[in-house]
C-alpha cells in the first residue's frame, strides 16, 4: 500500500523534503475548489449559509436536554449538541451519562426536529453510537487519537473535528486527513481556542487560523467561542464576527439554568442570552448578505 505522502501529487520526489510539503492532500482545497457541503442529518454546513449548533455542555437528564432542544429549535439553532461521554480534566468531575445520555439526547433531538452531534472518546464506542447520532464530535483532547479518527472514518458518520488546544493548524488538517483517508469526507472543522500565555480568557480563539483553514481546505469551518473564551459576554460578538468573516457556523453552549449546570455552567448562555445572540446574528448575517441556515 502506498503511503499518503507517496501518493501526494504535490509532494517532492525527494523524501528529505517531504515534511515541508502539503501532505493533507484529501482535505486540500484543490480537491474541491468550490468547497464541500457537509450535512448533519438534513442540516448543511458550507452551502454559503451560517449554521448554528447549540446545546448544553453535558446531557444531565431527559428533561434538561428536551427543554434545551426546544430552546435551540425555537430560536433558530439547527443542530443540538450535548456531551454524554465527557473528557473532564479531573477524574472526580461529572463524567457524563454515557450511552443512556445519548439515548435521551436522541429523543430530545427527534422531538424538536433537530439533528444531534455528541462526543465519542473511545474507538470501541463508535460502532454502538453510530445509529444513535447524526454526527460525532471529536474533542480537542482527542484530536490526535488516531485510532478514533480511523474508526470514525470507517463508520462513514459525519464528524466535527475540534482543534486540539496545543496543536498547529497543519496537525489539525492532518487529523482531518485521517478521517477522509478512510473514505469519510463528511467532516467539518471547529476552532475552539488554543492555549497561549494569556489567562484572561479560558483559551485564545484563533480566528485567523480558522479562516486560514477554510481557505486551505474544502471543509466547512466553524468556531466554538464558548470553550474558547469561557465568557458568555464575549460569545455573541464572536459569533457575529464569524458570520461577517465568512466562516460556516458556530457552536455555543446553552443551558436552561446555567447556575445548576453539572459542567461548564460559567460559560453557558441562558435562554434569553441565546435568543438575543440569534437576533444579533440575524442582523449581521443580513447586513453581509448571508442567510442563516
Ligand atoms: C465540548 O464541546 O463539550 C468539549 C469538551 O470541547 P473541547 O473538546 O473543545 O474542550
Ligand atoms: Mn463544555
Amino acid at each position: 500500500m502506498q503511503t499518503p505522502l507517496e501518493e501526494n501529487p504535490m509532494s517532492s520526489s525527494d523524501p528529505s523534503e517531504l515534511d515541508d510539503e502539503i501532505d493533507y492532500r484529501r482535505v486540500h482545497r484543490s480537491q474541491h475548489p468550490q468547497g464541500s457541503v457537509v450535512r448533519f442529518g438534513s442540516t448543511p454546513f458550507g452551502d454559503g449559509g451560517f449554521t448554528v449548533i447549540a446545546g448544553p455542555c453535558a446531557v444531565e437528564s431527559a428533561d434538561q436536554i428536551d427543554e434545551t432542544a426546544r430552546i435551540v429549535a425555537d430560536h433558530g439553532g439547527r443542530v443540538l449538541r450535548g456531551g454524554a461521554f465527557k473528557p473532564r480534566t479531573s477524574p472526580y468531575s461529572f463524567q457524563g451519562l454515557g450511552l443512556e445520555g445519548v439515548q435521551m439526547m436522541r429523543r430530545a433531538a427527534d422531538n424538536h426536529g433537530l439533528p444531534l452531534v455528541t462526543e465519542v472518546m473511545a474507538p470501541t464506542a463508535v460502532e454502538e453510537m453510530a445509529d444513535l447520532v447524526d454526527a460525532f464530535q471529536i474533542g480537542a483532547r482527542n484530536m490526535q487519537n488516531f485510532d478514533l479518527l480511523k474508526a470514525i472514518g470507517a463508520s462513514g458518520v459525519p464528524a466535527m473535528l475540534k482543534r486540539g488546544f496545543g496543536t498547529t493548524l497543519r496537525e489539525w488538517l492532518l487529523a482531518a486527513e485521517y478521517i477522509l483517508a478512510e473514505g469519510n469526507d463528511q467532516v467539518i472543522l471547529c476552532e475552539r481556542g488554543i492555549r497561549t500565555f494569556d489567562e484572561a480568557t479560558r483559551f485564545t480563539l484563533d480566528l485567523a487560523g480558522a479562516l486560514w483553514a477554510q481557505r486551505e481546505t474544502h471543509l466547512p469551518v466553524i468556531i466554538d467561542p464558548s470553550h474558547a473564551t469561557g465568557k458568555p459576554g464575549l460569545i455573541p460578538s464572536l459569533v457575529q464576527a464569524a458570520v461577517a468573516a465568512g466562516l460556516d457556523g458556530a457552536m455555543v453552549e446553552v443551558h436552561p439554568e446555567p447556575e445548576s449546570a453539572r459542567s461548564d455552567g460559567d460559560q453557558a448562555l441562558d435562554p434569553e442570552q441565546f435568543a438575543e445572540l440569534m437576533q444579533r446574528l440575524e442582523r449581521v448575517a443580513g447586513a453581509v448578505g448571508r442567510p442563516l441556515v
Side-chain angles (χ1 to χ4, degrees):
M1 203 177 90
Q2 284 186 307
T3 67
L5 280 178
E6 284 163 350
E7 291 167 5
N8 186 347
M10 284 175 260
S11 303
S12 157
S13 56
D14 177 355
S16 65
E17 287 172 24
L18 288 180
D19 268 355
D20 294 331
E21 296 293 329
I22 296 167
D23 46 2
Y24 41 80
R25 63 189 187 104
R26 287 182 168 88
V27 304
H28 194 261
R29 167 85 40 181
S30 60
Q31 295 295 311
H32 298 286
Q34 303 311 314
S36 294
V37 178
V38 170
R39 287 192 164 72
F40 291 1
S42 59
T43 297
F45 292 84
D47 71 345
F50 190 85
T51 311
V52 174
I53 304 175
C57 182
V59 179
E60 297 167 1
S61 69
D63 284 349
Q64 173 252 14
I65 192 65
D66 193 77
E67 172 63 1
T68 314
R70 186 187 63 74
I71 293 160
V72 170
D74 277 0
H75 297 292
R78 288 291 171 257
V79 178
L80 180 66
R81 67 143 285 143
F85 295 92
K86 295 300 301 176
R88 303 306 301 279
T89 300
S90 165
Y92 307 118
S93 300
F94 176 53
Q95 303 285 308
L97 299 179
L99 204 56
E100 210 183 321
V102 182
Q103 284 157 348
M104 286 174 190
M105 196 179 172
R106 179 74 271 163
R107 285 192 291 275
D110 289 346
N111 283 345
H112 299 280
L114 296 169
L116 73 83
V117 59
T118 193
E119 178 158 359
V120 59
M121 293 201 291
T124 49
V126 168
E127 211 178 293
E128 64 180 4
M129 287 171 71
D131 290 340
L132 284 169
V133 308
D134 298 291
F136 283 122
Q137 171 168 323
I138 299 146
R141 291 156 189 80
N142 269 310
M143 189 204 86
Q144 287 186 312
N145 180 338
F146 300 114
D147 285 344
L148 181 65
L149 298 173
K150 287 179 192 169
I152 290 172
S155 76
V157 175
M160 178 177 72
L161 178 66
K162 288 191 145 197
R163 180 181 177 188
F165 49 74
T167 59
T168 65
L169 292 164
R170 180 171 172 273
E171 287 164 343
W172 189 24
L173 302 197
L174 283 167
E177 186 79 12
Y178 264 91
I179 304 173
L180 272 77
E182 295 293 326
N184 182 357
D185 61 4
Q186 292 295 292
V187 177
I188 72 170
L189 299 173
C190 178
E191 157 60 30
R192 49 78 72 211
I194 52 175
R195 183 152 282 161
T196 65
F197 48 81
D198 208 289
E199 291 175 340
T201 52
R202 191 175 178 190
F203 292 91
T204 298
L205 183 69
D206 186 5
L207 205 48
L211 289 166
W212 179 86
Q214 196 191 37
R215 280 158 183 68
E216 185 72 1
T217 75
H218 56 86
L219 306 177
V221 180
I222 71 167
I223 60 163
D224 169 356
S226 297
H227 290 90
T229 67
K231 300 206 179 309
L234 300 180
I235 294 167
S237 298
L238 291 169
V239 176
Q240 289 180 307
V243 72
L247 291 171
D248 299 294
M251 178 165 83
V252 297
E253 287 188 342
V254 182
H255 194 287
E257 285 173 17
E259 327 71 69
S260 66
R262 298 188 73 183
S263 64
D264 283 351
D266 291 350
Q267 70 190 32
L269 300 170
D270 67 25
E272 289 88 73
Q273 289 170 319
F274 179 62
E276 197 188 317
L277 177 154
M278 293 304 290
Q279 282 165 13
R280 283 178 56 181
L281 175 61
E282 211 161 326
R283 287 200 293 275
V284 175
V288 297
R290 297 193 61 200
L292 295 188
V293 167

